[in-house]
Amino acid sequence: MRSPSPIRLRWLVACAFAVSSACQPKDAKTITVHWSLADGRSCVDAGAVRAVVSLPGAAEQSGRCSQLPDGNRITVPDAYPDAVLTARAESAGLAALYRAEQTLPSELPDEIELVLFFSGGR
């Protein structure tokens, strides 16, 4: 098998770059998700020990429940506009006690407020 000519090689590299660039989210940034439980309960009262947030195609981010509601924050790297953010608050047995889903705005703020609703462990 012969090697591609320098012009063909440059064209192949340019095509590969164009395809990989098209798959990258535009305007990605790190955001903080401040979450709370819809019924106003603390994590201790609700039996939740951690929260998990995720975006499509990205790794899940998690954080321990705080005794103070203002402490319930999770940093999400590489958030991108119009992505659907999902979240759940889990028990020690990994049951999803509360859930939420929110589409991120086109102009990403530094912090998102997210309210999780009781899901009964499902």
Side-chain angles (χ1 to χ4, degrees):
M1 180 179 212
R2 64 178 218 203
S3 15
S5 70
I7 293 173
R8 176 123 172 102
L9 186 59
R10 275 187 243 136
W11 182 82
L12 289 171
V13 168
C15 287
F17 178 74
V19 168
S20 69
S21 295
C23 296
Q24 299 294 323
K26 302 287 188 235
D27 304 319
K29 71 183 258 186
T30 299
I31 63 170
T32 300
V33 176
H34 175 242
W35 60 272
S36 61
L37 304 178
D39 54 17
R41 297 170 72 186
S42 70
C43 288
V44 173
D45 291 337
V49 296
R50 77 174 188 149
V52 180
V53 297
S54 63
L55 294 170
E60 293 184 333
Q61 305 297 319
S62 65
R64 297 188 70 146
C65 285
S66 172
Q67 290 183 341
L68 302 174
D70 196 47
N72 290 328
R73 298 176 187 280
I74 298 174
T75 301
V76 178
D78 299 323
Y80 52 96
D82 305 314
V84 177
L85 177 75
T86 58
R88 64 187 183 273
E90 297 179 335
S91 69
L94 302 180
L97 303 174
Y98 291 77
R99 292 185 181 273
E101 184 175 289
Q102 180 176 330
T103 300
L104 296 178
S106 297
E107 298 279 329
L108 286 177
D110 293 331
E111 185 171 289
I112 297 288
E113 297 289 329
L114 188 63
V115 178
L116 283 72
F117 291 87
F118 185 68
S119 64
R122 291 174 266 164

